[in-house]
Amino acid sequence: MRYFLCVCLLVFGVGSLAFSQDCRLSIRGRIMDENSVDALDGANVVLLETEQNVQTDSKGRFLLSNLCAGKVTLAITHIGCETSLFSFQLNGDTTLRVKLNHKEEHLNEVEVMQHRKESHVTQHVEQLEGAELRKLKGLTLGETLSKLPGVTTLNTGATISKPVIHGLHSNRVLILNNGVRQESQQWGTEHAPEIDPFIAKRITVVKGANSLRYGSDAIGGVILIDPAALPTTPGIGGEFNTAVYSNNAEVNLSGILEGNHAKLAPLSWRVQGTFRRGGNSRTPNYWLKNTGVQEGNFSVAGGWKKSNYGVEIFYSFFKTKIGILSAAHFHNLTDLQQAIESKVPRELSGFTYNINRPYQDILHQLAKAKVYFNTGKAGDMSIVLAFQHNQRTEYDKHKPLGDNDNRPGFQFAIQTISADVNWEHKPVKGFSGVVGFNGMTQTNNYNYGYFIPGFWNFAGGVFAVERWNYRKIELEAGVRLDYRWLQAFLPSSRGGAKPKSQWLVPSGSLGLDYHITENLKWNINLASAWRAPQVVELYADGVHHGSASFERGDADLKQEMSFDLSTSFQADFSWLSASVGFYQYFIQDFIYAKPTLTSQLTIRGAYPAFDYTQDDVSLTGGDVNLTIKPYRGIELTNRISLLRAWNRTADEWLIMMPPQRFEHGLRYTFRDFKQVKGLYLGASAQIVLQQKLAPQNQDYLPPPPGYWLLNFEAGATFAIRQQPVHLNVAVANALNTAYRDYLNRFRYFADERGINVSLKVSVPFFISSKPHSLN
């Protein structure tokens, strides 16, 4: 009764006050680090006039509601920073963008924005940044992206993974590394992207056909790996990261050092490096022989930024040595068949960091130069030139007879020169847009054994995208025309021919965003895309050591054509964040590797055999990402990924498509202490159903049973003498469950990893070159 009376008094009191002034206003906003553009989660925002207190979420967002008109003062604090004050006149619902110079501990800029969320594309977009990305550091790019709904991984053993979006992977998913299209040996299902995830400050996944801006092949989507912007504040700073894992005793060390000087303000620079080493992985019942990894990467960047123009340069070096499961290679057909039928690998070992044959040795280098300038009232122009060199060396299990030099099975080197020119015109009566050109020339040569021929590849495309904004509606339309030319150089042992192929294909898209309210948005997108067959699909003929398979191409394969319809609904409230998306692909002449069900015996051993073929297919599915906050500190998360892939030509299910996946989690975030902020505990259950939507009797083994995994995590940010330290502890597969995943090529021979405990520490730091100040 006492509680009821208090509520009644409060309601009547607020009601009577509303007659004299408007007390239904709100202030919402987003707080970001001015230097890194990271969202600052766990920042405290206090309205001093009423002592109303809120904390930003993982995306840096906050909401203060039921406010009265008049002058208001916000006090903003974040761990390691002193309180920053900002006052303004509140006359209506207001949206703020706050840029906090986190490193120098003062409020640098507050911008009053329009009362509308920004939107960049009319497609379903997922992002990882800030605290959510930080706690995933140390994982591979594929493993990191698999935390998003609709994104899974195609694995080869315990050490190699690549992202799969809506069942599509490899050349159907484009990856832009620091604004440059990643070009490497993407022709294999086990060729993971040669990118250091520690360099990323933001990872964006655009789902669905998106070929207009980035070129052909983006049938499944685009992944954008963006580092932080170069610093513009004088001083030297950086970040140190370490991640260790118990399962394979893996250690990751990574550091960034960057700076800017007051006397030469336009000049900024950054250096970054990563070291990674892991030994054999362990399943719940045995060690996986020869599954270690060694990796060393570094990058340097520099920029000269003026008000009307700027120049950026970037260079990265990526080198890794990856062990391939020894139990996937065999001398004869009898051993291969027995291994497929066995529940335990034919070769076992203990733990070691040593990597022996078979293994991969990979080197990737990227050099980039970007120039951008303001063309006045016309708009903005950017030009990006890039060079990439990728060398992949694969060693089979046994040295050739009489070989004393540890020669590899084969070696490929691919060189790519690319150019991108974009001009974005200024908004005119609600219209804004961009026109551009992409060009690329590429050569690939091989040494030692034969798997695919050397080739020369040329591609070029022009595009135009226009966007129209009117009140709550945003409409986007675009067209593109691509030309691709390919010449292969077959060795004399394969006839010595030099076949040529060329394609000239248009594509287009039409999309609509409808902002129902500030918190509700709906979009729909219709797009076409295409992909030329790759050299491996056309001319492969031999043993692919990395995936332990024998593959044969088909020179008569035609281009893939995709027609994609997708729609999504997004809700964003203080207590609810929801994203629900549906998609439908119709792909003509879809190319895939089909098991022949007869093993191939070679002088290198016996291997499962696969032939490249193509059929018309349809992919129908949906993604759900739901976060509910029923009470302060409590978060309930649900992620669902559903897919039905149908082979329309064969009138049956399509092979090697992701099964249905569910993830349910619970997290509790404690109130902040004086020196500890953002302390949380969480648990989640990942449920993967058996893939029953697969064709019968068309694989060496039927899909494995479904499984569920229990995971735990905890984290916090500590202030040690004003120095923030981010700490995260996680336990994956806490019940040490034995299982096999349908999308792992080595599921024929071994189980997946068992329990894996990880510890991750991130320490940002800043050394100011000028006296401390507070606005």
Side-chain angles (χ1 to χ4, degrees):
M1 178 63 70
R2 187 179 308 167
Y3 175 76
F4 176 76
L5 291 175
C6 290
V7 172
C8 290
L9 289 173
L10 179 61
V11 171
F12 284 113
V14 172
S16 62
L17 186 60
F19 284 102
S20 59
Q21 57 179 318
D22 187 0
C23 290
R24 297 170 297 174
L25 306 181
S26 66
I27 302 174
R28 67 176 64 246
R30 191 180 187 205
I31 301 178
M32 298 175 292
D33 189 312
E34 193 269 339
N35 292 280
S36 66
V37 202
D38 278 347
L40 294 182
D41 61 312
N44 285 320
V45 181
V46 181
L47 183 63
L48 296 185
E49 284 77 8
T50 64
E51 297 185 355
Q52 198 172 342
N53 182 15
V54 296
Q55 190 176 81
T56 57
D57 60 14
S58 61
K59 296 183 179 180
R61 300 169 303 186
F62 68 89
L63 172 64
L64 294 165
S65 55
N66 297 324
L67 307 180
C68 301
K71 183 178 180 180
V72 296
T73 304
L74 297 182
I76 303 174
T77 61
H78 193 255
I79 191 164
C81 295
E82 298 179 7
T83 301
S84 300
L85 302 178
F86 173 63
S87 298
F88 63 96
Q89 190 71 24
L90 181 65
N91 296 318
D93 291 344
T94 303
T95 300
L96 304 176
R97 175 182 292 171
V98 182
K99 295 180 180 179
L100 183 65
N101 195 322
H102 187 235
K103 295 178 179 177
E104 287 196 6
E105 305 175 1
H106 75 274
L107 187 66
N108 188 60
E109 179 182 348
V110 176
E111 183 178 359
V112 179
M113 306 296 296
Q114 292 182 349
H115 195 62
R116 172 176 292 182
K117 281 183 65 176
E118 291 188 3
S119 163
H120 300 287
V121 293
T122 57
Q123 292 175 283
H124 195 175
V125 175
E126 302 278 2
Q127 281 192 335
L128 285 171
E129 59 183 339
E132 290 300 312
L133 180 59
R134 184 169 56 243
K135 70 181 183 181
L136 298 175
K137 288 186 175 180
L139 300 177
T140 65
L141 179 62
E143 292 170 331
T144 299
L145 293 170
S146 68
K147 306 304 178 182
L148 296 172
V151 184
T152 54
T153 56
L154 183 66
N155 299 319
T156 303
T159 52
I160 302 174
S161 65
K162 64 194 314 177
V164 180
I165 301 177
H166 296 164
L168 304 175
H169 56 81
S170 302
N171 291 92
R172 299 182 186 93
V173 175
L174 295 188
I175 300 177
L176 268 72
N177 181 12
N178 195 8
V180 177
R181 174 170 163 164
Q182 181 83 357
E183 294 289 345
S184 58
Q185 303 290 352
Q186 269 270 53
W187 39 262
T189 56
E190 48 69 65
H191 293 172
E194 296 90 353
I195 295 175
D196 181 2
F198 277 103
I199 200 173
K201 282 295 182 181
R202 180 184 298 105
I203 300 178
T204 305
V205 177
V206 184
K207 300 177 182 178
N210 198 28
S211 298
L212 293 184
R213 292 173 174 83
Y214 309 113
S216 63
D217 302 343
I219 294 177
V222 177
I223 298 171
L224 309 175
I225 313 296
D226 295 319
L230 289 170
T232 57
T233 302
I236 297 177
E239 185 176 81
F240 173 76
N241 289 278
T242 181
V244 295
Y245 297 86
S246 67
N247 184 278
N248 61 338
E250 181 178 324
V251 177
N252 291 260
L253 301 174
S254 183
I256 295 176
L257 189 66
E258 59 187 15
N260 179 278
H261 198 279
K263 294 183 179 180
L264 201 59
L267 179 64
S268 301
W269 56 269
R270 175 184 295 134
V271 294
Q272 178 266 347
T274 298
F275 169 79
R276 177 186 178 209
R277 187 188 189 193
N280 286 346
S281 297
R282 181 171 176 80
T283 74
N285 300 306
Y286 48 82
W287 293 96
L288 296 171
K289 184 178 179 180
N290 200 51
T291 52
V293 59
Q294 298 176 8
E295 187 176 304
N297 317 312
F298 75 88
S299 66
V300 295
W304 182 270
K305 183 178 181 181
K306 299 290 284 186
S307 59
N308 293 323
Y309 69 92
V311 179
E312 294 178 2
I313 57 173
F314 175 80
Y315 171 79
S316 66
F317 177 96
F318 179 102
K319 184 172 178 59
T320 184
K321 181 178 181 181
I322 303 173
I324 304 298
L325 180 69
S326 296
H329 292 249
F330 307 93
H331 291 286
N332 54 63
L333 296 175
T334 301
D335 288 346
L336 172 60
Q337 186 60 38
Q338 290 178 351
I340 291 177
E341 296 173 353
S342 175
K343 294 184 178 180
V344 178
R346 302 274 291 179
E347 293 185 30
L348 297 175
S349 72
F351 175 81
T352 179
Y353 281 109
N354 295 331
I355 300 176
N356 300 309
R357 299 175 72 120
Y359 68 89
Q360 298 177 347
D361 204 336
I362 304 165
L363 169 67
H364 187 275
Q365 299 179 80
L366 165 64
K368 164 197 168 182
K370 177 181 180 180
V371 179
Y372 54 94
F373 50 90
N374 190 325
T375 57
K377 294 182 179 181
D380 299 310
M381 175 80 75
S382 67
I383 302 173
V384 177
L385 301 176
F387 171 78
Q388 297 178 67
H389 171 75
N390 179 263
Q391 179 175 292
R392 172 178 293 270
T393 307
E394 299 199 5
Y395 295 79
D396 56 359
K397 189 171 184 178
H398 303 286
K399 294 182 181 181
L401 293 177
D403 176 22
N404 296 318
D405 299 325
N406 194 35
R407 288 190 305 168
F410 51 68
Q411 182 182 78
F412 295 93
I414 186 169
Q415 295 77 221
T416 306
I417 299 174
S418 63
D420 295 271
V421 180
N422 292 324
W423 174 69
E424 186 171 354
H425 71 77
K426 298 290 186 181
V428 179
K429 296 183 179 180
F431 286 90
S432 61
V434 58
V435 296
F437 163 80
N438 314 115
M440 177 192 72
T441 181
Q442 187 177 77
T443 59
N444 191 29
N445 51 70
Y446 73 94
N447 198 3
Y448 305 106
Y450 175 85
F451 179 64
I452 62 172
F455 63 85
W456 181 19
N457 187 17
F458 170 80
V462 292
F463 70 93
V465 180
E466 194 69 15
R467 192 178 188 93
W468 177 60
N469 295 305
Y470 179 72
R471 296 182 178 178
K472 296 183 177 182
I473 295 176
E474 299 177 48
L475 184 67
E476 182 182 87
V479 293
R480 182 182 179 94
L481 182 64
D482 278 292
Y483 174 75
R484 184 178 286 265
W485 179 88
L486 172 68
Q487 182 174 20
F489 301 92
L490 299 178
S492 56
S493 61
R494 263 75 175 178
K498 300 178 182 179
K500 298 179 182 179
S501 303
Q502 57 183 341
W503 301 268
L504 180 66
V505 183
S507 55
S509 72
L510 179 64
L512 171 70
D513 275 359
Y514 179 55
H515 296 260
I516 304 170
T517 69
E518 170 65 16
N519 308 99
L520 299 174
K521 188 183 82 167
W522 170 73
N523 63 37
I524 186 170
N525 187 270
L526 177 65
S528 67
W530 73 284
R531 183 181 77 89
Q534 301 298 302
V535 171
V536 66
E537 298 162 337
L538 294 168
Y539 305 113
D541 186 17
V543 176
H544 189 181
H545 303 294
S547 60
S549 62
F550 189 96
E551 300 177 13
R552 283 181 289 258
D554 183 350
D556 295 326
L557 293 177
K558 296 178 290 185
Q559 70 205 37
E560 290 182 355
M561 288 297 301
S562 172
F563 302 93
D564 171 24
L565 175 64
S566 61
T567 183
S568 67
F569 178 84
Q570 300 172 39
D572 194 0
F573 298 91
S574 60
W575 61 276
L576 171 69
S577 178
S579 174
V580 181
F582 301 94
Y583 58 90
Q584 174 67 65
Y585 295 92
F586 293 101
I587 305 178
Q588 296 179 0
D589 298 313
F590 179 81
I591 302 171
Y592 64 101
K594 185 175 182 178
T596 65
L597 302 184
T598 57
S599 302
Q600 184 73 32
L601 182 63
T602 72
I603 60 173
R604 299 289 189 181
Y607 300 91
F610 297 81
D611 287 346
Y612 284 99
T613 186
Q614 59 186 168
D615 291 312
D616 295 341
V617 304
S618 65
L619 280 66
T620 307
D623 304 324
V624 177
N625 190 0
L626 179 66
T627 300
I628 303 174
K629 301 177 183 179
Y631 187 74
R632 187 192 183 283
I634 297 178
E635 287 188 15
L636 303 173
T637 59
N638 296 273
R639 296 184 178 95
I640 303 173
S641 299
L642 306 175
L643 171 63
R644 298 171 67 89
W646 186 251
N647 187 328
R648 298 165 59 208
T649 301
D651 198 25
E652 62 185 8
W653 298 114
L654 183 61
I655 196 169
M656 286 302 293
M657 287 288 125
Q660 322 308 323
R661 294 173 179 263
F662 307 83
E663 184 175 348
H664 308 291
L666 170 65
R667 184 164 79 170
Y668 181 74
T669 302
F670 295 85
R671 293 181 181 272
D672 289 341
F673 303 98
K674 185 175 181 180
Q675 299 297 325
V676 180
K677 295 186 181 295
L679 174 63
Y680 73 92
L681 299 174
S684 65
Q686 180 184 354
I687 304 168
V688 179
L689 303 184
Q690 184 179 25
Q691 180 54 289
K692 295 184 178 181
L693 307 181
Q696 299 294 318
N697 303 318
Q698 292 193 22
D699 203 347
Y700 290 95
L701 279 179
Y707 59 89
W708 75 277
L709 306 177
L710 182 63
N711 307 308
F712 296 101
E713 64 173 343
T717 299
F718 301 87
I720 303 175
R721 294 185 178 181
Q722 303 299 312
Q723 170 63 57
V725 178
H726 307 292
L727 181 68
N728 177 269
V729 180
V731 183
N733 192 3
L735 300 181
N736 207 25
T737 301
Y739 69 101
R740 298 192 181 190
D741 192 273
Y742 181 60
L743 292 188
N744 193 330
R745 286 289 292 267
F746 284 172
R747 66 179 174 86
Y748 301 138
F749 313 113
D751 292 342
E752 300 288 337
R753 283 179 177 177
I755 186 172
N756 195 10
V757 181
S758 64
L759 171 65
K760 300 169 187 176
V761 181
S762 178
V763 183
F765 59 88
F766 187 76
I767 306 171
S768 179
S769 62
K770 62 182 181 180
H772 167 77
S773 63
L774 177 65
N775 285 357

